[in-house]
Amino acid sequence: MKRILLAASPIALVAALWIFVDQNRARFPDPVAIHWGISGAPDGFASLESQLVLTTATLALVGFLWATVVFLTRIPKTVKILFLAIVGSLWLLLFFLFVYTFAIQLDLGDASEAELSIVVLAAILVFPLLLLPWVFAKPKIEVGERLWVRYWGVPLLNLDLHEIQSATIGHVRASEFGGWGIRYANRTTAFMPSS
């Protein structure tokens, strides 16, 4: 039941946003600003309905990825937490951005008056930069008395060698899993330390 609630949490937040916008429909300009330039001034506009559809589709796509990770059972718990942290952070950033862009347009006569603050612009630019090291890092695999897989020094897998039921030597291509790093494909968690 906890997994269902966790997976459905983005749906509840999107529904709350829809209800808020719908109940305050008369307070928004028509059209609304949907895109801002680097200066923070709006440079793209659309109808409120179009923006709601775009908002819902974007959040639903990332929310679907979130729900998929929640229900994955064949990955180590620490890897699942890492994936949830990255996908959840992305979803929350997008949700905050959409809520903020709706909120700054409340009670404006013209959407061209809505300006993004420098803090929001910085957050939009900094977040992807913070993710880059995590996305492109390679896990470090150490074999001694135990098998350790670390990612940026954080232990993601720690096994006693007696827990390993079988092992084989073979060639695995990073392209089979979407690149090096920590990947999940074909119901397999892969730790790809090199390309």
Side-chain angles (χ1 to χ4, degrees), residues 76 78 142 145-150 155-161 163-164 191:
T78 50
E142 301 168 10
E145 292 180 17
R146 301 184 68 80
L147 171 68
W148 288 88
V149 177
R150 298 178 196 272
L156 295 180
L157 188 65
N158 174 10
L159 293 173
D160 188 290
L161 294 183
E163 294 178 67
I164 300 172
F191 301 100

Short mmCIF file of all heavy atoms in Angstrom, two decimals, residues 76 78 142 145-150 155-161 163-164 191:
data_model
loop_
_atom_site.label_atom_id
_atom_site.label_comp_id
_atom_site.label_asym_id
_atom_site.label_seq_id
_atom_site.Cartn_x
_atom_site.Cartn_y
_atom_site.Cartn_z
N PRO A 76 18.92 -3.22 -6.19
CA PRO A 76 19.27 -3.01 -4.78
C PRO A 76 18.59 -1.76 -4.22
O PRO A 76 18.39 -0.78 -4.94
CB PRO A 76 20.80 -2.84 -4.82
CG PRO A 76 21.23 -3.49 -6.10
CD PRO A 76 20.10 -3.31 -7.06
N THR A 78 19.57 0.59 -2.26
CA THR A 78 20.33 1.83 -2.32
C THR A 78 20.31 2.43 -3.73
O THR A 78 20.28 3.65 -3.89
CB THR A 78 21.78 1.60 -1.87
OG1 THR A 78 22.32 0.47 -2.58
CG2 THR A 78 21.87 1.35 -0.38
N GLU A 142 34.94 -2.83 -5.98
CA GLU A 142 36.06 -3.35 -5.20
C GLU A 142 35.74 -4.77 -4.77
O GLU A 142 34.65 -5.05 -4.25
CB GLU A 142 36.27 -2.50 -3.95
CG GLU A 142 36.55 -1.03 -4.24
CD GLU A 142 36.46 -0.17 -2.98
OE1 GLU A 142 36.36 -0.72 -1.87
OE2 GLU A 142 36.44 1.06 -3.13
N GLU A 145 37.37 -9.26 0.62
CA GLU A 145 36.56 -10.20 1.38
C GLU A 145 35.08 -9.98 1.11
O GLU A 145 34.26 -10.85 1.33
CB GLU A 145 36.85 -10.07 2.87
CG GLU A 145 38.26 -10.52 3.24
CD GLU A 145 38.52 -10.38 4.74
OE1 GLU A 145 37.56 -10.26 5.52
OE2 GLU A 145 39.70 -10.43 5.10
N ARG A 146 34.77 -8.79 0.64
CA ARG A 146 33.39 -8.45 0.28
C ARG A 146 33.40 -7.79 -1.10
O ARG A 146 34.42 -7.30 -1.56
CB ARG A 146 32.78 -7.48 1.30
CG ARG A 146 32.74 -8.02 2.72
CD ARG A 146 32.04 -7.07 3.68
NE ARG A 146 30.60 -6.94 3.41
CZ ARG A 146 29.67 -7.82 3.78
NH1 ARG A 146 30.02 -8.92 4.43
NH2 ARG A 146 28.41 -7.61 3.52
N LEU A 147 32.25 -7.77 -1.73
CA LEU A 147 32.08 -7.06 -2.99
C LEU A 147 31.41 -5.73 -2.69
O LEU A 147 30.33 -5.69 -2.09
CB LEU A 147 31.20 -7.88 -3.96
CG LEU A 147 30.77 -7.15 -5.23
CD1 LEU A 147 31.98 -6.91 -6.13
CD2 LEU A 147 29.71 -7.93 -5.97
N TRP A 148 32.08 -4.66 -3.07
CA TRP A 148 31.55 -3.31 -2.85
C TRP A 148 31.35 -2.64 -4.19
O TRP A 148 32.20 -2.72 -5.06
CB TRP A 148 32.53 -2.45 -2.05
CG TRP A 148 32.66 -2.80 -0.61
CD1 TRP A 148 33.51 -3.71 -0.06
CD2 TRP A 148 31.92 -2.24 0.47
NE1 TRP A 148 33.33 -3.75 1.30
CE2 TRP A 148 32.37 -2.85 1.66
CE3 TRP A 148 30.93 -1.27 0.54
CZ2 TRP A 148 31.86 -2.52 2.89
CZ3 TRP A 148 30.42 -0.95 1.78
CH2 TRP A 148 30.88 -1.57 2.94
N VAL A 149 30.25 -1.93 -4.33
CA VAL A 149 30.03 -1.05 -5.47
C VAL A 149 29.75 0.31 -4.87
O VAL A 149 28.82 0.48 -4.10
CB VAL A 149 28.86 -1.51 -6.36
CG1 VAL A 149 28.64 -0.51 -7.49
CG2 VAL A 149 29.10 -2.91 -6.91
N ARG A 150 30.62 1.27 -5.22
CA ARG A 150 30.47 2.62 -4.69
C ARG A 150 30.25 3.59 -5.85
O ARG A 150 30.78 3.41 -6.94
CB ARG A 150 31.72 3.04 -3.92
CG ARG A 150 32.01 2.18 -2.72
CD ARG A 150 33.29 2.65 -2.03
NE ARG A 150 33.82 1.68 -1.13
CZ ARG A 150 33.47 1.57 0.15
NH1 ARG A 150 32.58 2.41 0.65
NH2 ARG A 150 34.00 0.65 0.92
N PRO A 155 28.34 3.82 -0.77
CA PRO A 155 28.17 2.39 -1.05
C PRO A 155 26.75 2.08 -1.52
O PRO A 155 25.79 2.35 -0.83
CB PRO A 155 28.47 1.72 0.29
CG PRO A 155 28.32 2.77 1.32
CD PRO A 155 28.52 4.09 0.64
N LEU A 156 26.65 1.52 -2.73
CA LEU A 156 25.35 1.14 -3.28
C LEU A 156 25.10 -0.35 -3.16
O LEU A 156 23.96 -0.79 -3.18
CB LEU A 156 25.23 1.56 -4.74
CG LEU A 156 25.25 3.05 -5.01
CD1 LEU A 156 25.13 3.31 -6.50
CD2 LEU A 156 24.14 3.76 -4.27
N LEU A 157 26.16 -1.12 -3.08
CA LEU A 157 26.02 -2.56 -2.96
C LEU A 157 27.16 -3.07 -2.11
O LEU A 157 28.31 -2.68 -2.30
CB LEU A 157 26.04 -3.22 -4.35
CG LEU A 157 25.72 -4.70 -4.41
CD1 LEU A 157 24.28 -4.96 -3.98
CD2 LEU A 157 25.94 -5.23 -5.83
N ASN A 158 26.83 -3.94 -1.17
CA ASN A 158 27.82 -4.48 -0.26
C ASN A 158 27.43 -5.94 -0.01
O ASN A 158 26.45 -6.21 0.66
CB ASN A 158 27.81 -3.67 1.04
CG ASN A 158 28.71 -4.26 2.11
OD1 ASN A 158 29.49 -5.17 1.85
ND2 ASN A 158 28.60 -3.73 3.30
N LEU A 159 28.19 -6.87 -0.59
CA LEU A 159 27.85 -8.28 -0.46
C LEU A 159 29.02 -9.07 0.10
O LEU A 159 30.18 -8.86 -0.29
CB LEU A 159 27.51 -8.89 -1.83
CG LEU A 159 26.27 -8.42 -2.55
CD1 LEU A 159 26.21 -9.01 -3.95
CD2 LEU A 159 25.04 -8.81 -1.76
N ASP A 160 28.73 -10.01 0.98
CA ASP A 160 29.71 -11.00 1.38
C ASP A 160 29.88 -11.93 0.18
O ASP A 160 28.91 -12.26 -0.50
CB ASP A 160 29.19 -11.79 2.60
CG ASP A 160 30.26 -12.69 3.17
OD1 ASP A 160 30.59 -13.69 2.49
OD2 ASP A 160 30.76 -12.42 4.27
N LEU A 161 31.11 -12.33 -0.12
CA LEU A 161 31.33 -13.17 -1.30
C LEU A 161 30.55 -14.47 -1.24
O LEU A 161 30.22 -15.05 -2.28
CB LEU A 161 32.83 -13.43 -1.48
CG LEU A 161 33.68 -12.20 -1.82
CD1 LEU A 161 35.13 -12.59 -2.03
CD2 LEU A 161 33.15 -11.47 -3.03
N GLU A 163 27.52 -14.73 -0.43
CA GLU A 163 26.15 -14.47 -0.87
C GLU A 163 26.00 -14.59 -2.38
O GLU A 163 24.88 -14.68 -2.88
CB GLU A 163 25.73 -13.05 -0.45
CG GLU A 163 25.63 -12.83 1.04
CD GLU A 163 25.26 -11.41 1.37
OE1 GLU A 163 24.11 -11.02 1.05
OE2 GLU A 163 26.10 -10.68 1.91
N ILE A 164 27.11 -14.59 -3.11
CA ILE A 164 27.06 -14.68 -4.56
C ILE A 164 26.83 -16.14 -4.94
O ILE A 164 27.64 -17.01 -4.61
CB ILE A 164 28.35 -14.13 -5.20
CG1 ILE A 164 28.52 -12.66 -4.80
CG2 ILE A 164 28.32 -14.30 -6.71
CD1 ILE A 164 29.84 -12.06 -5.21
N PHE A 191 26.19 -2.34 -13.18
CA PHE A 191 27.17 -1.36 -12.70
C PHE A 191 28.29 -1.38 -13.75
O PHE A 191 29.09 -2.30 -13.79
CB PHE A 191 27.71 -1.75 -11.32
CG PHE A 191 26.64 -1.86 -10.28
CD1 PHE A 191 26.13 -3.10 -9.91
CD2 PHE A 191 26.13 -0.72 -9.67
CE1 PHE A 191 25.13 -3.19 -8.96
CE2 PHE A 191 25.12 -0.82 -8.71
CZ PHE A 191 24.65 -2.06 -8.35
#
